[in-house]
Amino acid sequence: TEISVVNCAKNNMVVAKAELEIEPTFLNLGPNHFAVGINNSIWYYSWQSQANALTTNQPSVISLSCRREYFGTIKQVVMNEQWTAVLSEGKVSLHLIEDESAPDIRFPLGNGDPAIVYIAMADSFLMLIDKTGKLSYYLIDDQAFILEHQSENPLVKVFPNKTGTKCICIDSTGHGYMLNPVDESLIMIPNFQSDTESVLWDTEDQNLFVTVASTMMHTYLYLPLTLEGPQIVHLPEYLRLDEVDK
């Protein structure tokens, strides 16, 4: 099996390729690595450091960085530039991708703490949702929890921006809102689709994001300063370019 990393901004140019040892059941792409796995095993490949095609026209052939086995069937894998977190059987293992000698950090920390059901990761933070629907922010460098947020309805998914300073939350009723982790303020998202599966943050405009449902995508703009206070605006749908000026 061959995996290709494609740069969509450069006419779908293939920047790196890897020959896999397995036929994976899941694949996750991170800023510097991608992970493929099956059952309780993950193979990590470093594509960014060897992606010479970012500056040349020839794709790089990348090799395996490491292989890890976890404590049960893997449900989720999230990565940032250096760290990976793996959710399996209600537990999370957080560790450095390249340094196999460093000890893993395991969650939940206490034996009596609720099981973890969902994870997400930003530059410096790991976000965990437990089975009660509580969201916890974990600062990786300090190895400490800095925020616990319990909404009126249990949370089921969160989608932070790259830095973790804004976080789209979806609760058990299908409603969506933006959480500011600094002051725990909440802003409801208008016309939010209850079947939203993912949220994509714009890499250039940090206040722009897109929600992705089964058949629809919706674009929103966060306005931090208005006469009525911070707001989220549902941007109109343009079917033709000439409608943009109207």
Side-chain angles (χ1 to χ4, degrees), residues 3-223:
I3 295 292
S4 298
V5 179
V6 176
N7 188 341
C8 299
K10 293 189 176 181
N11 198 27
N12 294 331
M13 181 177 66
V14 177
V15 298
K17 290 184 178 181
E19 291 290 338
L20 305 184
E21 303 174 8
I22 59 166
E23 187 75 30
T25 56
F26 62 86
L27 185 151
N28 293 80
L29 180 65
N32 296 329
H33 305 81
F34 67 81
V36 296
I38 186 171
N39 298 328
N40 69 328
S41 298
I42 296 180
W43 287 254
Y44 292 96
Y45 293 82
S46 175
W47 66 268
Q48 182 70 283
S49 61
Q50 304 180 49
N52 295 327
L54 292 174
T55 55
T56 69
N57 292 324
Q58 296 299 319
S60 295
V61 178
I62 56 183
S63 57
L64 179 69
S65 294
C66 69
R67 176 188 174 184
R68 293 287 297 261
E69 291 189 356
Y70 300 90
F71 29 73
T73 302
I74 294 164
K75 180 181 177 182
Q76 250 189 297
V77 182
V78 293
M79 292 174 282
N80 62 16
E81 283 80 357
Q82 295 179 302
W83 293 83
T84 181
V86 177
L87 173 61
S88 172
E89 307 294 339
K91 300 178 181 179
V92 175
S93 178
L94 172 69
H95 63 84
L96 289 165
I97 300 174
E98 298 284 354
D99 187 0
E100 296 186 70
S101 64
D104 291 11
I105 304 171
R106 302 289 178 88
F107 305 93
L109 297 178
N111 292 330
D113 293 341
I116 308 300
V117 296
Y118 186 89
I119 57 176
M121 187 176 283
D123 283 347
S124 302
F125 303 102
L126 173 65
M127 294 81 167
L128 308 103
I129 299 177
D130 64 28
K131 67 178 182 180
T132 68
K134 180 180 70 176
L135 168 65
S136 299
Y137 260 68
Y138 183 81
L139 182 57
I140 298 174
D141 290 341
D142 290 353
Q143 297 189 14
F145 285 103
I146 62 168
L147 171 69
E148 290 186 347
H149 172 73
Q150 185 82 59
S151 64
E152 181 178 346
N153 298 302
L155 297 181
V156 294
K157 292 182 180 181
V158 291
F159 302 93
N161 64 352
K162 185 178 185 299
T163 57
T165 55
K166 304 183 189 75
C167 187
I168 303 302
C169 303
I170 304 177
D171 64 24
S172 58
T173 66
H175 291 95
Y177 57 86
M178 178 185 289
L179 167 69
N180 182 340
V182 176
D183 57 8
E184 288 194 69
S185 60
L186 307 175
I187 304 176
M188 295 300 296
I189 302 175
N191 304 322
F192 190 81
Q193 297 292 113
S194 60
D195 60 343
T196 296
E197 300 172 354
S198 182
V199 176
L200 305 176
W201 288 90
D202 192 279
T203 57
E204 298 295 332
D205 187 339
Q206 298 184 6
N207 291 326
L208 195 66
F209 64 93
V210 174
T211 61
V212 183
S214 56
T215 59
M216 295 286 291
M217 298 177 67
H218 295 269
T219 305
Y220 295 89
L221 180 64
Y222 168 62
L223 302 174

Side-chain angles (χ1 to χ4, degrees), residues 217-221 233-239 243-244 246:
M217 298 177 67
H218 295 269
T219 305
Y220 295 89
L221 180 64
V233 177
H234 186 195
L235 299 183
E237 177 184 3
Y238 295 113
L239 300 180
E243 294 182 354
V244 174
K246 294 182 179 179

